């Protein structure tokens, strides 16, 4: 017999489940709408405001030497594509919806109608539990979104190759992204640093797109310093062998599918599935550069996140904040694409100054230096290309 006397915690759980179902439907429709808009814009040769390939972690595929190796389609992806008649947008949306639903069922179990009494319910304890579940659901949105993108990239990359007349699932070189990632790498590896010992932590590494650019920059700094390899005549060697000890680079990401792509594309480097907020500080390693390339907007508290990053800097180290599509893109992402988990805009000048002052850091915004003195007008505005350094 159904027990109609429900405790406050049971009522809250039931309301939360109803709300989560409504949100899941809304978010999946938003995902489908945004992916469809991206597909239409790409066919028309126009980059849309939101792109599943270029949003967020590292700006997506940068082409050229940074081209990503895409693993084959998983059985789940094939089954979903078959179920939706080859419609990749619908299959991605279903994949995302399935992941979110699984996480909601884990975090918000159905109330037991047979239970009675107040279940020892305490408002303070319940508020703390609700906050933890909210954080877990936020992380689940980020993971589900980027797993969905990575899982179906073989289909999307293949369609790009066909549209462009290419073969083998390659993607067109995005020269703008490559140029800006080169500047990001230059911000991570300042002139005069010890290129052979610099440790880099890449937070929200995605497919590891920044790695080859960091390698090239380290080689250039090493050559200037005359350490080991050097001299213009040996320039070609740099692309074959990095002066960085592979163990000195570490990339972390909450998306298992993205980490799998990074491991396939950048063999020999360390990539881990990890949440920076819970993972940082577990070892005593200190880093010369902590990079947030297209990832800071996914953290709910930017100041607290950067404080944690500052705590693991080596003496003289720096935090690099970047997004190759700029602050305007992030604002649009936060407003129009909540399903991806983007929840904070990139800090403006005043915000950076305030955060830096609280952490005892200095703000460096000289893009001309990162561009080697050749800064293009389209890269100068932070709304178009965001790049800032917090220097210890």
């Amino acid at each position: 017999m159904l027990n109609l006397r429900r405790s406050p915690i049971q009522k809250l759980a039931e309301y939360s489940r109803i709300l989560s179902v409504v949100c899941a439907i809304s978010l999946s429709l938003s995902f489908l709408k945004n992916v469809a808009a991206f597909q239409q814009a790409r066919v028309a040769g126009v980059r849309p405001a939101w792109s599943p390939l270029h949003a967020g972690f590292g700006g997506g595929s940068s082409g050229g030497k940074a081209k990503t190796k895409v693993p084959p389609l998983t059985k789940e992806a094939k089954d979903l594509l078959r179920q939706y008649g080859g419609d990749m947008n619908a299959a991605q949306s279903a994949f995302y919806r399935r992941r979110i639903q699984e996480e909601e069922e884990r975090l918000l179990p159905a109330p037991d109608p047979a239970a009675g009494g107040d279940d020892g319910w305490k408002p303070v304890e319940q508020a703390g539990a609700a906050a933890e579940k909210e954080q877990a659901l936020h992380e689940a949105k980020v993971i589900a979104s980027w797993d969905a993108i990575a899982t179906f990239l073989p289909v999307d990359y293949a369609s790009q190759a066909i549209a462009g007349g290419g073969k083998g699932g390659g993607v067109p070189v995005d020269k703008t992204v490559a140029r800006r990632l080169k500047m990001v790498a230059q911000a991570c590896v300042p002139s005069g640093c010890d290129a052979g010992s610099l440790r880099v932590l890449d937070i929200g590494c995605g497919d590891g797109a920044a790695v080859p650019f960091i390698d090239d920059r380290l080689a250039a700094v090493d050559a200037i310093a005359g350490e080991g390899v050097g001299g213009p005549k040996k320039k070609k060697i740099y692309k074959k062998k990095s002066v960085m000890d592979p163990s000195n680079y570490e990339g972390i990401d909450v998306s298992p599918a993205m980490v799998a792509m990074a491991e396939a594309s950048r063999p020999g480097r360390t990539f881990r599935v990890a949440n920076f907020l819970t993972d940082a500080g577990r070892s005593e390693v200190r880093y010369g550069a902590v990079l947030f390339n297209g990832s800071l907007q996914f953290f709910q508290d930017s100041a607290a996140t950067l404080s944690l990053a500052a705590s693991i800097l080596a003496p003289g180290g720096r935090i690099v904040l970047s997004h190759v599509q700029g602050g305007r893109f992030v604002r649009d992402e936060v407003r129009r694409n909540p399903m991806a988990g983007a929840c904070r805009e990139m800090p403006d000048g005043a915000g950076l100054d305030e955060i830096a002052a609280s952490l005892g850091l200095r703000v460096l915004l000289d893009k001309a230096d990162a561009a080697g003195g050749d800064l293009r007008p389209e890269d100068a505005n932070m709304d178009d290309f965001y790049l800032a350094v917090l220097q210890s």
Side-chain angles (χ1 to χ4, degrees):
M1 182 175 178
L2 179 64
N3 185 354
L4 297 179
R5 295 184 59 191
R6 295 173 297 171
S7 68
I9 192 171
Q10 290 173 326
K11 291 179 181 179
L12 179 61
E14 182 174 339
Y15 295 152
S16 297
R17 284 178 59 79
I18 293 173
L19 180 61
S20 68
V21 170
V22 173
C23 289
I25 294 173
S26 174
L27 291 173
S28 62
L29 289 174
S30 173
F31 188 94
L32 183 59
K33 178 181 178 181
N34 281 308
V35 173
F38 167 73
Q39 299 284 7
Q40 293 169 1
R42 192 191 61 213
V43 171
V46 178
R47 176 177 291 179
W50 179 85
S51 157
L53 291 182
H54 295 90
F57 304 111
S61 170
S62 55
K65 60 180 175 294
K67 186 176 292 184
T68 298
K69 292 183 179 179
V70 184
L73 278 174
T74 63
K75 182 179 183 301
E76 181 181 15
K78 291 178 181 178
D79 290 344
L80 284 170
L81 284 168
R82 191 178 302 112
Q83 179 181 344
Y84 289 95
D87 186 337
M88 189 191 75
N89 300 337
Q92 274 187 320
S93 180
F95 179 98
Y96 172 84
R97 188 169 58 250
R98 178 184 293 176
R99 290 291 188 274
I100 292 299
Q101 183 176 351
E102 290 172 351
E103 192 66 11
E104 286 171 342
E105 290 175 352
R106 183 182 71 83
L107 294 170
L108 302 172
D112 182 2
D118 63 4
D119 296 331
W121 179 72
K122 296 179 181 179
V124 175
E125 292 178 1
Q126 181 58 25
E132 290 180 4
K133 289 179 179 179
E134 180 184 358
Q135 172 62 34
L137 282 173
H138 169 74
E139 183 178 344
K141 285 197 295 183
V142 177
I143 295 172
S145 175
W146 288 99
D147 275 358
I149 291 167
T151 298
F152 289 90
L153 276 182
V155 177
D156 199 71
Y157 275 16
S159 67
Q160 289 188 63
I162 292 172
K167 297 179 180 180
V171 294
V173 174
D174 190 325
K175 294 182 179 179
T176 298
V177 171
R179 182 178 70 251
R180 291 174 177 176
L181 283 176
K182 181 178 179 180
M183 293 170 64
V184 170
Q186 190 143 334
C188 290
V189 187
S191 299
C193 75
D194 184 351
S197 63
L198 181 73
R199 299 187 72 98
V200 177
L201 177 62
D202 189 354
I203 300 171
C205 62
D207 62 13
V211 170
F213 296 93
I214 292 174
D215 278 350
D216 281 357
R217 173 59 181 167
L218 285 166
V221 170
D222 183 67
I224 293 172
E227 299 171 2
V229 299
K233 294 182 179 180
K234 294 187 178 182
K235 186 175 181 180
K236 292 183 179 180
I237 295 178
Y238 304 158
K239 294 185 179 180
K240 297 180 181 179
K241 183 178 180 180
S242 170
V243 298
M244 173 185 258
D245 183 331
S247 66
N248 282 354
Y249 170 90
E250 185 177 356
I252 62 173
D253 202 300
V254 294
S255 167
M258 280 292 179
V259 169
M261 290 177 61
E263 290 174 333
S265 302
R266 330 289 173 199
R269 298 307 171 96
T270 300
F271 296 98
R272 294 188 297 112
V273 178
N275 181 334
F276 173 64
L277 297 179
T278 56
D279 186 73
R282 290 190 175 183
S283 74
E284 300 199 2
V285 174
R286 294 297 178 262
Y287 299 90
V290 176
L291 172 62
F292 292 86
N293 181 38
S295 58
L296 185 64
Q297 70 270 30
F298 295 101
F299 291 91
Q300 294 176 308
D301 189 334
S302 300
T305 301
L306 294 176
S307 176
L308 187 58
S311 72
I312 59 173
L313 285 178
R318 52 178 46 194
I319 301 171
V320 178
L321 310 176
S322 62
H323 198 295
V324 296
Q325 289 187 288
R328 183 186 301 109
F329 176 92
V330 175
R331 288 196 297 274
D332 289 344
E333 187 179 25
V334 170
R335 186 179 72 253
R336 297 171 53 188
N337 193 28
M339 43 66 61
C343 55
R344 289 292 180 270
E345 297 180 9
M346 301 301 288
D348 59 14
L352 281 172
D353 287 338
E354 182 179 349
I355 292 172
S358 70
L359 300 177
L361 305 176
R362 293 182 294 116
V363 179
L364 304 180
L365 293 171
D366 189 359
K367 286 187 184 177
D369 180 62
D374 185 23
L375 181 65
R376 299 192 182 192
E378 61 267 32
D379 296 335
N381 194 311
M382 294 285 271
D383 269 351
D384 300 320
F385 169 41
Y386 191 99
L387 178 61
V389 174
L390 302 181
Q391 176 70 48
S392 65

